[in-house]
Amino acid sequence: MMNFSLAPSILPPGLTMPASVGMIPLFAANPFTEPVGVIHYLIVGAVLFTAGIACMTLKRNALGILMGIELVLNGANINFVAFSSSYLRAEGAPTLGLDGQVVALFVILLAAAEAAVALAITLNFYNNHATVDVDRADDLKG
Amino acid sequence: MTGLLDMDISSVTHVIVPALATSLPTLPMAGINWHSVLFLLFAGLACGFAVGVVAADNVVRMALYLVFSLGSTAGLFFLAGAEFLGAMQLMIYVGGTLVLLVFGVMLTAQAPFVSIKPSSSDRTLAAVAGASLLALLLTAAFSVDAWMVPGVGEVPAPSATPLGMALIGVRVDTPPNGSPNGGHVGYMLPFEIVSVHLLVVLVGAAYLARAKRRRTPRAIDAVASAMPVESAVVATAAVTVPGRTAGGAKSALVGGGR
Amino acid sequence: MDLESLLPTLLGLAWLLPLASFAVILFAGPRLGNHGKGAAGVATAAIVGSFVLSLFAFISWVAQHPVHAVAHGDHGGAHAAADPTHGSGDHASASHATATGHEPGHDTGHGEAAHGEANHAGSPVHYSGDWYTLYEGGRLKLSIGWYVDALTVLMFVMITFIATCIHVYASGYMHDELHDITDHEVHLADGSHLHRPGRFHRFFQALSLFCFSMLGIVIAGNLAMVFIFWELVGICSWFLIGFYYERKSASNAANKAFIVNRIGDFGMLIGLMALWGALGTLHFADSTGPDGHARPGLFSLIRPPVAGHGQWVPDGMVKFAAAEKVGAVLRSHADDPRAAVEQVEAKVEDWRDEGYGRWLLLVAGLGIFCGCIGKSAQFPLFVWLPDAMEGPTPVSALVHSATMVAAGVYLVGRFYPVLTPDALLVIAYVGAITLFIAATIALVANDIKRVLAYSTVSQLGYMMLALGVGGWLAGLFHLVTHAFFKSLLFLCSGSVIHACHTNDMRKMGGLAKVMPWTSGTMLVGCLAIIGAGIPFLDIGLSGYYSKDSILAQALLFARENPSHSILFYAVAGGAMLTAFYMFRLWFMTFAGQPRDHHVHDHAHESPPVMVYPLVALSILAVVAGWTLPGGFGIANMIEQARPAGTGGIELGGLLFSAFTVPAEHASHAHDIHVTASLTAFATAAAGVLLAALMYVWGIIPPAMVASAVKPLYTFLANRWYFDEIYRFLFVLPVLGVSRLVSGTDKGIIDRFIEGLAWGAKQVAGFDAWLDRTLIDGLVNGTASATYSAGLELKKLQTGQLRQYVMFIALGTVAIFVLAGLLFRSSFAG
């Protein structure tokens, strides 16, 4: 059995071996033939989330930070949708169902609202300081 | 036309693709899970463009990449069976929020600010943070067996009716087996709240961004007046031509003289 | 109103009036009259009031208890169990012996021979009681009370009369104190004389307090009260002697008087303690206890009525002395306390016969006498009296001649029943020594007041001797007469000093013409003191009678106890010396040629206010000894107060070999009386003649006599070197010890204390350093560390948005990792 195993000392003991499809781990299986599971979506969501955080951390442009925020929210949305979908799980497995989709919907709405306000703030800042460089916005420096 | 509406992904996988498969004898079509393939496509686009947002220095390019990333996300939503959500994603998020963002980019994309490069130490730090976060998330994701089970493989055509009804407050969908939530809740209240919330945000944003009567001229007017008109036009035109503007602080210094 | 309540009231008021005057002058002295001149009036008024009251009491007494010659036969045993409150004063003079030519002045009735047993009359008439009880509990009763008999009343009259004369005299004599005075005997540091305001009123304030204290001693009903006023009199004397206290000599004299008195009081305390410890009471007369039982007083305890007032050792003293035997009996009967007590009581009689307690009684008596030695300036504590002449002359007249020094004699007389015959003999010898020493020193003294002072000491010795040889009446009689003529002599000397502005007799002379009144009255005084009179007619001045009785008793004693005949010779020799030095004084001062013309020219007679008292006192000096037909006289009045049981024969032998104290009335036997009076006359005449030879006619020049016996003269002129001996024996060692102690205190104890303080300071400094460095450092360090931490933490707030996001992300990761490590559970179900 080819088991992918991380070093036990690193992993918390609670972590178990990943399930395998016919003794092959799912994410090592042929992606063209095997159906995807929740894990795939989670990976995508994680990547988006991390990219969003990295964007927020990295970008000096205020709008770049806003874009990072959008990425973060989208990563979360992907997770919600993944958990709500009944097609990504085995037949009859429990999911979040409709609730997940509704939550993701609200997230989208709130993201829109937040983007509007954030943009207004950024434009205000731009009008007053003639720059969108957030490194210049250090008036609250201690 | 209705037949088009009635079409769903499964028809693509089970009808179109086999049709393609028969017409493409070279491909080993039998056994290909087109669901997974499409998933791979959209996932790759989403992740790739997301990374591109991070990596890009030009804010305009960042915006474009973000649009593509979020559009791919909508595709992912469709593949997961949440087509209403996917539609909403495209309409609200991509078509609304990101457009707003692009407006913002346009308004502020003066030459000096188009690309502001962070220092290399910042990049290292961000990379470390991102990597650690990603590791954590993946570790968490891989820790649950239930999520590693492969899915059904195909998505029948769900409708948006249950979701709409749920927003009004009536749950018409059947709870999945073993759902932890035995009793459904309607989402009437959050719906209303969000409505008011959007109204408030509208008003607030309008107020925040209003044109204020100023005794002293705005700093931005000083900058704008300092720059000659033609260079402003050139700067604006540079937005549409990617790659033209030189990145980094150097351009910011010489940008005013051009 | 009966005497029992009248006398205490009158005498109590008379006693307290001077206290009121003292209080008034104390608080309002300077404001009374011009410069306080009114103080004299207040004091004189008070003492005159006292005199009037005393006179009234005297008259009341004499009315109720007529004074007449008491027959000695009535001392017989019929009144052995007489009720103490009824006296023998009601007896008619049953058996007046046939006249033997004795004029008034002598007791008649010598029919009876001496009594063989100690069985004498009942208690004399006396009244006793308590005004105020300070404390009463158990065996002790401290109270302010009175004991009034004939002697008390007589003493009151005498003291207040003399005090009145002296108050009047002093109001003139002290007029210098009404304005500022420059005291030429005081030299300040810069050589000038002291200039001070006058203190006229203070003099009368102290004089009033003194009168109050003296009368307190006289009226006292118990020994504790006597002691209190004893000390009070000492303090007043101290103040009066040291009235000119800026003079070193005066302040030293005052201290000397007080300290020497105090030494005597030490013995008195021992006597007091012996009496109280053994007998449990200090009252003279019987009283009633709080439970209604009779509490016998000292007199009844020691001379109980049941045994005819014979002296015996009381039960308490026997048990006190035989304490070991008592303890043995009690221990043998430890199981039955009542039987033990009965056994003890049964054995008391045996123990008494064995002689237990006699020494204790002797010690008690001698202890009390020690106080009298100090107060009455007997040997060896007489050194203070001559120095006490530093005080103003009225003080010398009142305090140091008539009253305070008489207090000792009075106390011996009052305490007579308690004194054992051996104690009496000791008293007699002390008196004899004293009279001799003082008389010899007076022979060569040149200061007029010193002569009189030593004369006082000598006369006090006479009185003590008289009391000691059994002459109770003689001693007290001499006390009264001496008071009159000695105060007269002092006032006259004061008058002379006032006129001549000097005390030195060598500068005086021939003053008789210039100061007739003074010289005349002083002559009367001198005649009185030598006992001038006509023997066979029994007429004489007051001193004649009293001195005669002393001589008679001494002669009787010498006859009864030939081994102690020295006592008689001392008396006789003293009489000659007295006559000599008194007339030496008179001749040197008033007769002959003036030795210093400057003094003589400035001399003048004293103002009338000073002469009137002289005349009054001289009259009394003449008549005080006379007995009127019918028996009224001072001697007979004193006889009324004779303590129960005394006056008869006493046998002694504890301290000395067996001797007899003869009965006093036997001294009136004809042969003794004649011998005594002839001896007195002869010695007095011889003394006067010798003085005249030396100082009037100049036949025997004094200088020649002095050089002939130069060593003796020097010895006498230096007052037997008593002061030097005392200084060497007592003063210098005490000063040395005090220097040693002072040095120890300063060098060792103070150094130690300072060392402790230094140590404490060092510890304090160390603590301060600790506090500053450690504790303050800790607190300040904490504060500065917190501040630096804050400053460092402040750097976190860069205001950089991206950094904040970074921290959020990293923090979240960290939290989750930690949670995962700690809780070891999977993240999702």
Side-chain angles (χ1 to χ4, degrees):
Chain A
M1 170 184 350
M2 186 176 131
N3 270 333
F4 179 88
S5 64
L6 297 169
S9 59
I10 301 176
L11 275 182
L15 281 180
T16 56
M17 289 295 109
S20 52
V21 178
M23 308 304 277
I24 301 173
L26 183 63
F27 51 84
N30 190 351
F32 291 101
T33 55
E34 297 299 328
V36 292
V38 176
I39 188 68
H40 299 93
Y41 272 76
L42 292 188
I43 293 169
V44 174
V47 169
L48 248 62
F49 186 82
T50 308
I53 294 290
C55 200
M56 285 165 73
T57 312
L58 197 59
K59 298 297 176 186
R60 280 171 67 181
N61 197 324
L63 293 161
I65 293 177
L66 285 181
M67 293 177 198
I69 293 172
E70 302 305 331
L71 278 173
V72 163
L73 289 168
N74 266 281
N77 265 357
I78 288 173
N79 270 24
F80 271 120
V81 167
F83 285 128
S84 80
S85 168
S86 57
Y87 307 116
L88 295 174
R89 302 203 190 220
E91 193 71 38
T95 65
L96 278 183
L98 204 58
D99 294 319
Q101 292 185 25
V102 171
V103 171
L105 184 65
F106 281 124
V107 169
I108 291 171
L109 292 170
L110 293 172
E114 165 262 326
V117 174
L119 202 58
I121 293 170
T122 306
L123 285 175
N124 227 337
F125 181 76
Y126 176 70
N127 287 336
N128 288 337
H129 295 85
T131 178
V132 288
D133 189 352
V134 294
D135 282 353
R136 301 278 182 85
D138 58 357
D139 281 353
L140 287 180
K141 179 170 68 176
Chain B
M1 297 303 280
T2 55
L4 210 66
L5 285 172
D6 287 334
M7 262 172 42
D8 55 4
I9 299 294
S10 59
S11 65
V12 171
T13 56
H14 289 286
V15 173
I16 298 174
V17 174
L20 281 175
T22 51
S23 60
L24 296 168
T26 52
L27 281 170
M29 295 304 167
I32 290 183
N33 193 334
W34 291 104
H35 185 260
S36 304
V37 170
L38 280 173
F39 167 77
L40 270 179
L41 176 69
F42 283 124
L45 285 176
C47 294
F49 281 120
V51 172
V53 170
V54 177
D57 288 327
N58 190 329
V59 65
V60 181
R61 290 190 190 179
M62 280 163 60
L64 184 68
Y65 294 161
L66 187 64
V67 168
F68 290 149
S69 175
L70 295 189
S72 311
T73 312
L76 284 176
F77 287 167
F78 281 118
L79 283 175
E83 73 257 8
F84 181 69
L85 202 62
M88 289 301 110
Q89 168 90 348
L90 284 172
M91 276 166 44
I92 301 172
Y93 224 122
V94 178
T97 308
L98 288 186
V99 168
L100 193 63
L101 214 54
V102 170
F103 283 162
V105 168
M106 289 303 160
L107 282 172
T108 64
Q110 304 298 336
F113 312 118
V114 168
S115 32
I116 307 169
K117 278 184 93 125
S119 60
S120 57
S121 62
D122 284 343
R123 274 196 281 213
T124 316
L125 214 52
V128 166
S132 60
L133 189 60
L134 187 63
L136 176 72
L137 287 168
L138 289 178
T139 310
F142 278 115
S143 69
V144 181
D145 289 342
W147 298 341
M148 309 265 207
V149 177
V152 176
E154 60 179 21
V155 178
S159 75
T161 308
L163 196 140
M165 291 299 289
L167 282 177
I168 295 177
V170 178
R171 295 296 290 267
V172 298
D173 56 314
T174 57
N177 288 346
S179 163
N181 188 11
H184 283 159
V185 290
Y187 287 95
M188 173 70 118
L189 182 61
F191 181 67
E192 298 299 332
I193 287 174
V194 163
S195 315
V196 176
H197 177 77
L198 285 171
L199 173 67
V200 169
V201 163
L202 182 68
V203 172
Y207 176 78
L208 273 177
R210 74 189 186 283
K212 302 178 186 71
R213 209 174 302 127
R214 299 186 147 269
R215 275 190 233 111
T216 57
R218 294 189 306 183
I220 190 58
D221 294 331
V223 173
S225 59
M227 286 166 61
V229 179
E230 54 275 15
S231 60
V233 172
V234 169
T236 320
V239 172
T240 58
V241 181
R244 176 82 198 283
T245 41
K250 295 199 185 77
S251 66
L253 290 175
V254 302
R258 212 153 25 103
Chain C
M1 206 176 182
D2 63 332
L3 270 187
E4 186 157 2
S5 49
L6 178 68
L7 282 177
T9 316
L10 284 173
L11 294 180
L13 269 173
W15 168 47
L16 289 174
L17 265 177
L19 181 66
S21 147
F22 164 76
V24 166
I25 302 175
L26 175 68
F27 291 116
R31 290 191 289 266
L32 295 167
N34 179 23
H35 286 284
K37 196 168 178 185
V42 171
T44 313
I47 201 66
V48 165
S50 289
F51 174 63
V52 168
L53 287 169
S54 309
L55 206 59
F56 195 47
F58 182 85
I59 294 171
S60 315
W61 178 279
V62 170
Q64 277 243 316
H65 306 286
V67 179
H68 44 253
V70 180
H72 293 289
D74 295 330
H75 289 266
H79 307 280
D83 191 351
T85 57
H86 298 297
S88 52
D90 295 324
H91 297 268
S93 50
S95 52
H96 287 273
T98 53
T100 52
H102 290 211
E103 299 319 311
H106 286 277
D107 289 317
T108 53
H110 305 289
E112 242 74 33
H115 293 267
E117 81 269 77
N119 192 359
H120 300 287
S123 294
V125 184
H126 68 272
Y127 306 104
S128 62
D130 289 315
W131 277 302
Y132 179 69
T133 306
L134 287 166
Y135 172 77
E136 184 167 13
R139 302 210 305 167
L140 179 65
K141 181 176 180 181
L142 291 174
S143 59
I144 308 280
W146 70 89
Y147 181 95
V148 177
D149 60 4
L151 181 61
T152 313
V153 177
L154 188 63
M155 290 287 287
F156 256 80
V157 171
M158 174 194 97
I159 293 171
T160 49
F161 178 74
I162 295 177
T164 307
C165 294
I166 290 171
H167 273 74
V168 173
Y169 181 90
S171 60
Y173 188 86
M174 301 297 290
H175 75 268
D176 266 352
E177 294 283 337
L178 284 172
H179 49 76
D180 291 356
I181 290 182
T182 307
D183 195 339
H184 292 281
E185 290 187 36
V186 180
H187 295 271
L188 299 174
D190 57 357
S192 66
H193 293 296
L194 174 74
H195 196 80
R196 64 170 175 84
R199 10 177 208 262
F200 188 78
H201 61 284
R202 292 260 174 258
F203 183 79
F204 286 94
Q205 175 185 322
L207 218 58
S208 294
L209 188 65
F210 172 81
C211 292
F212 162 73
S213 318
M214 187 65 211
L215 293 173
I217 293 181
V218 174
I219 204 174
N222 58 73
L223 272 176
M225 188 173 164
V226 166
F227 188 73
I228 292 170
F229 286 99
W230 200 262
E231 301 298 329
L232 206 55
V233 158
I235 276 289
C236 295
S237 157
W238 173 84
F239 182 79
L240 286 167
I241 295 171
F243 186 71
Y244 303 120
Y245 55 81
E246 291 94 351
R247 300 180 192 171
K248 205 82 180 89
S249 55
S251 75
N252 282 345
N255 290 340
K256 188 174 181 179
F258 192 77
I259 292 171
V260 172
N261 264 326
R262 216 51 195 125
I263 296 173
D265 293 343
F266 170 67
M268 193 168 182
L269 274 172
I270 292 178
L272 275 175
M273 285 192 284
L275 282 171
W276 180 52
L279 300 175
T281 178
L282 291 172
H283 275 68
F284 293 134
D286 304 335
S287 58
T288 322
D291 48 0
H293 295 301
R295 290 174 66 120
L298 287 175
F299 297 162
S300 307
L301 280 173
I302 295 177
R303 286 185 185 264
V306 292
H309 296 281
Q311 194 182 60
W312 75 337
V313 182
D315 290 355
M317 258 190 194
V318 174
K319 281 187 270 189
F320 196 82
E324 285 175 3
K325 296 216 167 172
V326 172
V329 171
L330 287 174
R331 272 191 297 275
S332 67
H333 291 270
D335 50 343
D336 190 357
R338 200 173 300 153
V341 169
E342 285 171 6
Q343 191 74 358
V344 166
E345 295 299 325
K347 284 204 165 238
V348 164
E349 208 50 56
D350 300 331
W351 292 334
R352 183 180 295 120
D353 291 339
E354 287 172 33
Y356 279 99
R358 283 195 294 172
W359 277 96
L360 193 60
L361 192 57
L362 177 67
V363 163
L366 282 180
I368 300 291
F369 180 60
C370 275
C372 302
I373 292 180
K375 191 67 70 183
S376 293
Q378 300 297 295
F379 172 83
L381 298 176
F382 64 90
V383 291
W384 65 271
L385 191 53
D387 286 347
M389 299 300 121
E390 292 285 337
T393 308
V395 169
S396 309
L398 180 63
V399 177
H400 303 122
S401 61
T403 43
M404 188 181 98
V405 294
V409 180
Y410 169 78
L411 186 61
V412 173
R414 173 67 80 215
F415 210 59
Y416 209 71
V418 179
L419 298 169
T420 59
D422 300 274
L424 287 176
L425 194 55
V426 170
I427 293 174
Y429 269 104
V430 167
I433 296 170
T434 308
L435 82 88
F436 181 71
I437 293 177
T440 52
I441 299 177
L443 290 178
V444 299
N446 288 318
D447 184 335
I448 192 171
K449 281 177 77 172
R450 291 281 147 91
V451 175
L452 291 174
Y454 282 109
S455 164
T456 306
V457 174
S458 182
Q459 296 300 308
L460 290 168
Y462 262 102
M463 296 177 221
M464 289 299 187
L465 193 153
L467 287 168
V469 296
W472 181 85
L473 176 62
L476 289 175
F477 188 25
H478 195 62
L479 171 71
V480 175
T481 57
H482 170 267
F484 290 127
F485 54 68
K486 191 45 70 65
S487 55
L488 168 67
L489 283 167
F490 266 108
L491 291 184
C492 293
S493 74
S495 179
V496 168
I497 294 165
H498 191 257
C500 301
H501 297 288
T502 177
N503 288 15
D504 198 339
M505 288 195 293
R506 291 171 293 193
K507 294 199 184 123
M508 303 175 192
L511 289 174
K513 297 183 204 54
V514 186
M515 308 172 69
W517 285 98
T518 307
S519 73
T521 47
M522 195 148 199
L523 184 63
V524 169
C526 289
L527 288 171
I529 196 172
I530 69 171
I534 307 169
F536 295 104
L537 296 176
D538 255 354
I539 299 178
L541 302 180
S542 58
Y544 169 76
Y545 299 100
S546 57
K547 234 187 184 126
D548 258 14
S549 51
I550 295 177
L551 267 169
Q553 183 69 19
L555 182 59
L556 180 62
F557 189 86
R559 285 212 183 152
E560 297 272 341
N561 310 286
S563 52
H564 299 291
S565 352
I566 186 80
L567 293 172
F568 173 69
Y569 295 128
V571 175
M576 174 163 8
L577 293 174
T578 306
F580 174 78
Y581 66 68
M582 284 313 299
F583 271 90
R584 167 176 174 267
L585 181 145
W586 198 88
F587 290 146
M588 275 179 87
T589 309
F590 294 107
Q593 297 303 312
R595 291 185 194 80
D596 188 333
H597 286 277
H598 179 79
V599 167
H600 182 84
D601 291 339
H602 283 274
H604 55 87
E605 184 57 90
S606 303
V609 72
M610 284 167 70
V611 172
Y612 290 147
L614 298 179
V615 173
L617 284 171
S618 61
I619 293 174
L620 267 172
V622 171
V623 305
W626 292 350
T627 309
L628 297 176
F632 179 79
I634 288 181
N636 287 339
M637 189 160 182
I638 297 176
E639 184 67 41
Q640 270 189 351
R642 179 180 288 278
T646 59
I649 293 180
E650 308 277 348
L651 299 168
L654 187 62
L655 202 55
F656 304 88
S657 50
F659 63 94
T660 315
V661 179
E664 187 162 13
H665 61 78
S667 66
H668 301 294
H670 184 73
D671 54 334
I672 296 187
H673 180 70
V674 165
T675 316
S677 51
L678 278 178
T679 314
F681 183 77
T683 50
V688 174
L689 192 63
L690 191 57
L693 281 175
M694 286 174 74
Y695 292 98
V696 179
W697 301 309
I699 295 174
I700 309 172
M704 192 185 85
V705 176
S707 57
V709 288
K710 194 137 178 69
L712 181 64
Y713 181 82
T714 320
F715 181 68
L716 294 179
N718 282 308
R719 306 177 308 277
W720 288 53
Y721 296 109
F722 261 102
D723 285 320
E724 285 77 9
I725 292 172
Y726 283 168
R727 183 178 158 76
F728 180 74
L729 278 181
F730 302 114
V731 176
L732 288 178
V734 169
L735 283 178
V737 169
S738 71
R739 256 194 293 275
L740 184 72
V741 172
S742 159
T744 310
D745 181 53
K746 273 204 273 276
I748 298 175
I749 297 175
D750 278 0
R751 286 240 184 96
F752 176 66
I753 302 285
E754 276 166 34
L756 282 180
W758 176 86
K761 257 185 74 175
Q762 299 309 308
V763 172
F766 175 68
D767 277 344
W769 174 84
L770 263 182
D771 182 53
R772 261 199 320 277
T773 316
L774 286 182
I775 298 172
D776 284 356
L778 194 67
V779 173
N780 290 345
T782 310
S784 64
T786 311
Y787 186 66
S788 332
L791 278 177
E792 292 301 315
L793 283 175
K794 189 177 76 164
K795 291 186 189 151
L796 276 178
Q797 268 199 336
T798 55
Q800 300 289 333
L801 191 62
R802 300 185 292 134
Q803 184 183 309
Y804 294 167
V805 174
M806 177 92 67
F807 282 149
I808 291 173
L810 286 175
T812 311
V813 170
I815 286 175
F816 273 109
V817 168
L818 273 174
L821 285 172
L822 284 175
F823 289 106
R824 307 207 171 257
S825 60
S826 60
F827 287 104

